[in-house]
Amino acid sequence: MTTAKNKTRQALKRIAFGIADFIFPRTCLVCGKINPKGVYRHLCGDCAKEISLCTVCRCLICGEILGGSDMPDINGCLKCMDMQIAYSQALCPTVFAGPIKRLVHAIKYSSAPYAAEDLATAAAFHPKTKDFLRNALVVPVPLYRLRRLKRGYNQAEVIARALAAKFPELNIETAHLLRRTRNTSTQTRLTREERIQNIRGAFEITPEAANIRKDAPIVIFDDVMTTAATANECAKTLRKAGFKNLRVFAIAKRL
Ligand SMILES: [Zn+2]
Ligand SMILES: [Zn+2]
């Protein structure tokens, strides 16, 4: 019965998308070419080929790429070794460049949350993404209240929900266990030290956290990871509240 219902729902969805594609032909967000079919809804096949996955030797803490594909991943590197890391492991499936950068910017600055579906698709091409997120309690890195109001949504949450919806078999749940206590200035132009200082004490636990088991498999979820300072501050806040099983996932690593 449920399967029949699901099949009907999927068929209706396909028809609805078909009509929408006919009225508003899908275009590639990078090159503008009409893109009627393909794995991605908002990238053409040529632009999708430019996506780089982080599948070579990388740091399991900050996502830094360190060597070729024939070398094993490393637990900590020169860039993150002096940070007090409060989570066990991180995964950034893609490199923040080319089409991935364009999709993230479309969500953040061009009111295009629908681009999240393509980021979910790209992330799932990394061989470790699905196992990393399976049965996880995903905690999106929160935005400050006013910034969220201005944008209308939190991009990290939108991407996490797109992954959960696209891959229901992964049983991903999202929870709002963190709140941002102040409006931190943008981290983009800061050095690593400045980023750590800028974000210190910027999060607190929400009342929702009281209902969650302390050993729940939490994945702190963000759109882009640069130095891991923001994700680590989230992890520190959760750890102080007693949560023990903490990992970090960011769609893209800024190299
Ligand atoms: Zn294109
Ligand atoms: Zn590192």
Side-chain angles (χ1 to χ4, degrees):
M1 185 68 179
T2 320
T3 322
K5 260 189 190 169
N6 278 345
K7 276 190 179 161
T8 316
R9 199 175 296 150
Q10 278 167 5
L12 287 172
K13 212 171 157 185
R14 271 200 302 276
I15 294 168
F17 276 138
I19 295 170
D21 288 344
F22 181 73
I23 302 171
F24 308 104
R26 294 197 238 163
T27 53
C28 173
L29 276 174
V30 176
C31 70
K33 220 165 33 192
I34 299 234
N35 172 38
K37 282 199 179 74
V39 180
Y40 294 94
R41 287 189 67 76
H42 307 286
L43 291 179
C44 71
D46 288 338
C47 291
K49 281 185 202 147
E50 302 296 315
I51 293 175
S52 298
L53 294 180
C54 298
T55 47
V56 294
C57 165
R58 66 193 181 93
C59 172
L60 293 170
I61 299 300
C62 72
E64 193 67 26
I65 289 179
L66 303 162
S69 52
D70 51 341
M71 288 163 70
D73 292 343
I74 290 167
N75 213 6
C77 71
L78 282 174
K79 291 209 171 164
C80 64
M81 67 189 295
D82 59 344
M83 282 171 80
Q84 283 186 314
I85 297 293
Y87 57 86
S88 62
Q89 210 182 96
L91 178 64
C92 308
T94 70
V95 178
F96 186 63
I100 294 293
K101 193 171 177 180
R102 180 72 191 90
L103 290 169
V104 170
H105 281 179
I107 301 174
K108 278 170 98 161
Y109 309 123
S110 307
S111 308
Y114 50 81
E117 188 191 337
D118 280 354
L119 287 173
T121 304
F125 278 117
H126 189 287
K128 292 189 176 168
T129 291
K130 289 187 178 176
D131 281 343
F132 197 90
L133 294 175
R134 188 168 282 115
N135 300 320
L137 184 68
V138 164
V139 176
V141 171
L143 291 181
Y144 186 60
R145 206 160 26 97
L146 288 178
R147 197 175 287 185
R148 194 188 182 289
L149 268 177
K150 209 172 151 194
R151 192 170 290 159
Y153 49 82
N154 172 0
Q155 73 279 0
E157 186 183 341
V158 167
I159 303 166
R161 288 192 189 283
L163 262 161
K166 200 169 171 66
F167 304 103
E169 71 279 13
L170 297 182
N171 190 30
I172 300 169
E173 274 189 54
T174 49
H176 296 102
L177 306 189
L178 293 169
R179 182 161 54 204
R180 212 178 263 246
T181 55
R182 58 188 163 83
N183 197 10
T184 50
S185 54
T186 173
Q187 303 262 81
T188 314
R189 287 186 194 83
L190 303 182
T191 64
R192 198 166 68 95
E193 264 318 301
E194 287 168 340
R195 280 168 185 261
I196 295 169
Q197 290 301 331
N198 186 43
I199 204 76
R200 189 161 286 161
F203 301 100
E204 66 182 13
I205 291 287
T206 64
E208 199 178 323
N211 306 322
I212 306 294
R213 282 192 357 247
K214 295 291 189 268
D215 61 349
I218 290 176
V219 171
I220 298 157
F221 193 104
D222 211 352
D223 51 351
V224 183
M225 179 188 275
T226 306
T227 58
T230 302
N232 195 38
E233 192 61 31
C234 289
K236 279 184 187 169
T237 311
L238 287 163
R239 189 162 285 275
K240 258 186 226 157
F243 293 99
K244 298 175 187 81
N245 189 353
L246 304 171
R247 288 172 298 142
V248 169
F249 185 94
I251 286 286
K253 170 69 185 174
R254 193 194 300 263
L255 295 172

